[in-house]
């Protein structure tokens, strides 16, 4: 599956008890469509993402960066401490493509590369998430 969206926060590196490291980040994917009444409906879906292949990618995965991810999605549901039902979409990322700074995007499987680490919004932080 492929998704394109913007990071909602800077990526974080977590170390598991087995000393394996993972890069965690969240991506917002926007969609819009017209309903039966002809009204435009805007919808945002959020994905919690994990990238296991290299921690070097965390340096360029900053809030607002536009990315295209390839991988597989899974859903998770649980009952919170407040007794409310919760659900989340998890994206197990195998490939990352960065977009930004008007330069040609590059894709690297098993790693990451980009000609520019400048976010697509040129550093402005006026994102709704």
């Amino acid at each position: 599956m492929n998704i394109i969206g913007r990071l909602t926060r800077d990526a974080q590196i977590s170390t598991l008890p087995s000393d394996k490291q993972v890069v965690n980040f969240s991506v917002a994917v926007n969609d819009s469509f017209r309903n039966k009444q002809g009204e435009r409906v805007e919808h945002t879906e959020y994905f919690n993402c994990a990238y296991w292949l290299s921690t070097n990618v965390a340096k360029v995965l900053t809030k607002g960066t536009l990315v295209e991810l390839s991988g597989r999605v899974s859903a998770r549901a649980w009952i919170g401490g407040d007794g409310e039902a919760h659900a989340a979409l998890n994206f197990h990322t195998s490939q990352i493509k960065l977009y930004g700074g008007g330069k040609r995007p590059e894709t690297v499987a098993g790693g990451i590369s980009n000609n520019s680490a400048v976010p697509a919004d040129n550093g402005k932080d006026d994102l709704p998430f």
Side-chain angles (χ1 to χ4, degrees):
M1 176 177 193
N2 291 337
I3 61 172
I4 298 175
R6 292 196 182 273
L7 271 71
T8 62
R9 59 182 163 82
D10 292 350
Q12 298 176 343
I13 299 171
S14 301
T15 303
L16 303 177
S18 64
D19 288 334
K20 186 152 176 87
Q21 292 186 312
V22 60
V23 178
N24 294 306
F25 54 99
S26 177
V27 172
V29 176
N30 296 318
D31 188 22
S32 65
F33 57 92
R34 294 202 182 274
N35 63 16
K36 290 180 181 179
Q37 293 76 26
E39 302 164 324
R40 176 153 305 285
V41 176
E42 301 284 333
H43 179 74
T44 302
E45 197 68 58
Y46 297 91
F47 292 85
N48 295 317
C49 303
Y51 186 73
W52 296 87
L53 302 176
S54 172
T55 58
N56 292 333
V57 70
K59 296 177 222 168
V60 295
L61 291 178
T62 56
K63 181 178 178 177
T65 301
L66 182 64
V67 293
E68 180 179 349
L69 306 175
S70 297
R72 62 184 173 84
V73 69
S74 64
R76 185 170 67 104
W78 69 96
I79 303 295
D82 56 1
E84 294 289 318
H86 300 275
L89 292 172
N90 298 315
F91 198 82
H92 305 279
T93 308
S94 59
Q95 190 176 64
I96 300 172
K97 185 184 289 186
L98 296 172
Y99 294 92
K103 296 194 179 189
R104 191 175 130 266
E106 291 187 22
T107 303
V108 177
I112 187 155
S113 173
N114 187 12
N115 291 336
S116 173
V118 177
D121 64 0
N122 295 324
K124 296 176 187 169
D125 195 14
D126 59 350
L127 298 173
F129 44 82

